[in-house]
Amino acid sequence: MLDVKPSKRYRSAMKARRMNGAGNRFILADVRGRAGRVSPAADQVRRWAGEFQFDQLLVLEDADGADAFMRIWNADGDEVGACGNGTRAAAQAMMQDDALDRVAIGTVGGLLHADTAGNGQIRVDMGEPRLNWQNIPLAREMDTVQLDFAAEAGGVRVENPGAVNMGNPHAVFFVRDVESLPLAAIGREIEMDPVFPERVNASFAQIFDASHIRLRVWERGAGITAACGTAACATLVAAHRRGLAARSASIMADGGELHVEWRERDNHVVLTGPVEDEGEVDIQL
């Protein structure tokens, strides 16, 4: 287990970065080396999300055994354990600032390794998917390849998703026409269903062929997002388990293209995609 260095809380104005990964929006604050720890209340995170328009707030802290420990808050103020595109964004910033070719980032979901993949792409090894029903988690035992679950909203019914935990829980529905879904209505319905005791990220995937998938996502605690890295990973895993996709595929999100590989040799899922640094913002942390 990583040793996250303890420190007293602080509150002061500082510079933070506005970043995005395939359209997934972040505010990244690097507080390594400072005599304080950021522990914002949920209502404060919600206010910042309204002001800065982010999907997740990312904070880098000092840690032994890694280049940093990253804490993650969704826009609704909940602290969560994983964010694939956020990890890629943090990795790019750290590699640029610290003149590194690769970095190790600790998260609640585990230690993640990231490096550059060329052509402005950042790659992160997201580790092994968790596929047991207790680890999703689900409220009752079910086959996670194809859950005995359905939801309906706006006159549209979706059913039998695959379930995957990539550091956070995902339900992946395979649909014929992802563009026509009432995404907000049905995503909210699924997120809050009691079969998912920790709520869930709802992904909707349209399979074009074994290596090309269109994806739209309702993120737990953030709503509709232009992309979600862990959802892209979960989608590839769920699709391959159903025989719908190869172990490697391009995932086209609303905000851009991600590439996911589920490696057979070590069972790890690797996420690759673009990152943009949109400049500094002042934030009162």
Side-chain angles (χ1 to χ4, degrees):
M1 181 178 293
L2 287 174
D3 179 15
V4 180
K5 297 179 180 178
S7 54
K8 63 184 180 181
R9 297 184 182 185
Y10 68 90
R11 185 169 176 79
S12 62
M14 67 172 295
K15 295 289 185 182
R17 279 183 168 101
R18 186 190 301 277
M19 305 188 76
N20 84 74
N24 207 175
R25 303 168 301 171
F26 312 108
I27 294 295
L28 173 68
D30 188 345
V31 301
R32 291 177 296 165
R34 296 187 60 165
R37 185 177 186 186
V38 176
S39 295
D43 61 344
Q44 179 62 71
V45 176
R46 289 192 292 270
R47 285 194 292 271
W48 286 332
E51 179 179 357
F52 295 107
Q53 295 297 297
F54 59 75
D55 301 317
Q56 281 84 26
L57 170 69
L58 313 173
V59 176
L60 298 178
E61 300 178 346
D62 291 313
D64 291 328
D67 295 291
F69 187 89
M70 184 172 71
R71 299 174 68 202
I72 308 157
W73 287 266
N74 281 337
D76 70 348
D78 283 349
E79 188 170 1
V80 295
C83 180
N85 285 329
T87 303
R88 295 190 311 99
Q92 187 205 54
M94 293 166 62
M95 288 188 285
Q96 178 179 308
D97 291 349
D98 302 340
L100 298 171
D101 294 324
R102 59 186 64 244
V103 291
I105 301 175
T107 69
V108 171
L111 182 64
L112 305 178
H113 296 272
D115 63 4
T116 59
N119 299 317
Q121 303 278 297
I122 303 297
R123 174 173 50 214
V124 59
D125 182 341
M126 295 296 295
E128 296 187 61
R130 302 168 195 171
L131 304 174
N132 186 282
W133 72 272
Q134 293 104 327
N135 292 333
I136 300 301
L138 301 174
R140 64 181 186 274
E141 183 174 0
M142 279 189 274
D143 179 2
T144 60
V145 173
Q146 187 166 305
L147 298 185
D148 179 18
F149 173 81
E152 189 169 351
V156 174
R157 177 183 171 89
V158 293
E159 59 188 10
N160 304 127
V164 180
N165 188 305
M166 289 300 313
N168 49 18
H170 291 269
V172 182
F173 297 83
F174 298 100
V175 300
R176 292 183 179 180
D177 181 9
V178 73
E179 311 299 341
S180 66
L181 285 175
L183 185 57
I186 205 161
R188 186 179 297 109
E189 183 82 11
I190 293 163
E191 176 192 355
M192 305 304 294
D193 193 283
V195 78
F196 305 107
E198 294 181 7
R199 302 178 13 236
V200 76
N201 298 277
S203 296
F204 304 91
Q206 182 176 346
I207 307 292
F208 293 146
D209 58 45
S211 57
H212 295 88
I213 301 172
R214 174 74 172 101
L215 176 66
R216 301 193 71 201
V217 182
W218 172 273
E219 281 199 62
R220 176 186 65 166
I224 297 173
T225 56
C228 175
T230 55
C233 293
T235 295
L236 187 280
V237 171
H240 183 74
R241 295 181 82 205
R242 293 267 274 269
L244 301 174
R247 279 189 168 267
S248 178
S250 294
I251 313 291
M252 181 57 68
D254 287 348
E257 187 173 357
L258 297 164
H259 185 270
V260 180
E261 179 184 7
W262 186 15
R263 292 193 306 230
E264 190 168 9
R265 62 180 171 83
D266 62 3
N267 201 40
H268 284 211
V269 182
V270 179
L271 172 69
T272 305
V275 172
E276 293 183 82
D277 188 335
E278 299 176 345
E280 291 186 336
V281 296
D282 289 308
I283 189 167
Q284 188 79 18
L285 289 175

